[in-house]
Amino acid sequence: MLHLRLITPAGQTEEVVRLIERTVGTTHLVVLPGTARDPVGDLVLCDVAREAGDELIAGLRRLGLEDTGSIAVEDIGLSLSRRAEEAEREAPGEGADAVLWEGLIEATHEESTLSVTYLAFITLATMIAACGVVLDNAILIVGAMAVGPEFGPLAGISAALVRRRPRLAWRSVLALLVGFAVAMALTSAFSLLMDATGLFSEDQLEGARPNTGFIYAPDWFSFVVAVLAGIAGILSLTSAKSGALVGVAISVTTVPAAANAAVALAYGDTSQTSGSSVQLLLNLLGIVLAGTVTLLAQKHFWERRRQRP
């Protein structure tokens, strides 16, 4: 269930209440006239089944409530109510399959913002992966994958393409390009520093690396895994099962490929640099392509679901 907290101008409250009452899957409607102070208006509270949430939010936006008042939505962790159970049964489909498009856009917008924190995480992840590739340590590679924040901008690109949000698309692409450029540049400098202290060596990078050699040797399996991870990642975002994102993060080699390219570039190894770059591009392309197709499929599914009586 979702909980909606709405602030409505007094003259618009009845229209908002009628919309809520017409929407299948709503319950626990409360109207508190004149209680809102900023902005001034009435406070309207209600719960709605997740599978009916997108329809209700879209209706509220058509009424212009985001401009004249306020729309706040939050997940309900626990709701002990027979009426809530009835509302969920009345709503079409299953809550786990529902897509809250505005929630997805908001989440990807936040995750794809080019901030100091974002740059710090992607740089640290790339440096950790650099240690992993030089030491041929799979544990460090997995750790770097989990730390990397690059899935946010990738999901943002997919969401922007499906919802036709050019501003979100540009923000996501900018975060992705600048993030990897900064991370790889700093990791190259980090590699030279580690080499100067004797902790890194070119022999380690060029030697046999049975655990991490795949990073600079891309093949079709790399693309297939990226596609599967992209599907799983988008499903985890749209179904609010964020725990699955960790598994998605450690199944693709975006950050390790960037790290290997940065270290190889520092040592002048053009072969590993080009191979790692291709690996990186294959993973980015596979995730964006799979994410976009998954969102289009979900959109088509729910549009057909709404057309059913």
Side-chain angles (χ1 to χ4, degrees):
M1 295 290 289
L2 301 172
H3 178 68
L4 272 64
R5 185 184 72 250
L6 314 173
I7 296 178
T8 69
Q12 201 175 11
T13 301
E14 286 302 319
E15 189 176 15
V16 169
V17 169
R18 284 196 298 270
L19 172 63
I20 294 172
E21 291 176 336
R22 288 198 307 267
T23 303
V24 176
T26 59
T27 186
H28 302 159
L29 176 61
V30 177
V31 181
L32 302 174
T35 55
R37 292 292 179 266
D38 184 19
V40 175
D42 302 332
L43 180 63
V44 179
L45 308 173
C46 73
D47 295 341
V48 59
R50 181 180 175 83
E51 51 268 43
D54 188 64
E55 179 181 356
L56 178 56
I57 294 170
L60 293 170
R61 294 196 65 190
R62 284 194 295 270
L63 295 177
L65 194 58
E66 62 182 309
D67 298 318
T68 59
S70 169
I71 305 172
V73 184
E74 57 185 8
D75 282 296
I76 300 176
L78 176 64
S79 179
L80 302 178
S81 166
R82 180 175 298 176
R83 180 66 192 99
E85 293 177 358
E86 293 173 354
E88 288 185 321
R89 285 196 296 268
E90 292 168 359
E94 295 293 334
D97 298 331
V99 180
L100 290 175
W101 290 105
E102 292 305 323
L104 176 64
I105 293 296
E106 182 65 26
T108 52
H109 179 278
E110 181 179 350
E111 293 294 327
S112 60
T113 300
L114 185 60
S115 62
V116 174
T117 301
Y118 171 83
L119 289 176
F121 269 112
I122 196 168
T123 300
L124 291 171
T126 308
M127 289 180 176
I128 294 171
C131 295
V133 297
V134 172
L135 299 176
D136 194 35
N137 189 314
I139 295 176
L140 291 177
I141 294 296
V142 171
M145 290 175 176
V147 172
E150 74 281 3
F151 188 80
L154 292 170
I157 294 172
S158 296
L161 291 175
V162 174
R163 301 299 289 179
R164 299 178 182 178
R165 300 285 183 92
R167 183 174 298 181
L168 176 60
W170 167 244
R171 178 189 294 266
S172 301
V173 170
L174 182 65
L176 207 61
L177 294 180
V178 174
F180 273 115
V182 170
M184 292 173 70
L186 292 177
T187 301
S188 291
F190 170 74
S191 301
L192 293 175
L193 176 63
M194 295 290 280
D195 181 78
T197 60
L199 295 175
F200 279 11
S201 71
E202 187 173 1
D203 289 339
Q204 288 175 296
L205 182 70
E206 302 295 343
R209 288 161 48 192
N211 294 320
T212 59
F214 68 94
I215 293 173
Y216 59 89
D219 54 24
W220 281 109
F221 281 106
S222 302
F223 183 74
V224 170
V225 171
V227 168
L228 296 177
I231 296 172
I234 289 297
L235 289 176
S236 70
L237 285 177
T238 57
S239 64
K241 297 185 182 297
S242 58
L245 276 178
V246 177
V248 172
I250 62 177
S251 61
V252 292
T253 52
T254 48
V255 166
N260 201 95
V263 177
L265 184 63
Y267 284 118
D269 186 336
T270 56
S271 176
Q272 285 202 36
T273 300
S274 60
S276 301
S277 298
V278 172
Q279 179 78 275
L280 175 61
L281 292 175
L282 277 177
N283 276 268
L284 296 178
L285 177 62
I287 292 172
V288 171
L289 178 63
T292 303
V293 172
T294 301
L295 288 175
L296 286 172
Q298 289 179 295
K299 181 181 178 182
H300 176 71
F301 170 80
W302 276 102
E303 286 177 349
R304 293 197 58 180
R305 188 78 183 185
R306 288 175 180 173
Q307 293 172 1
R308 296 178 184 177

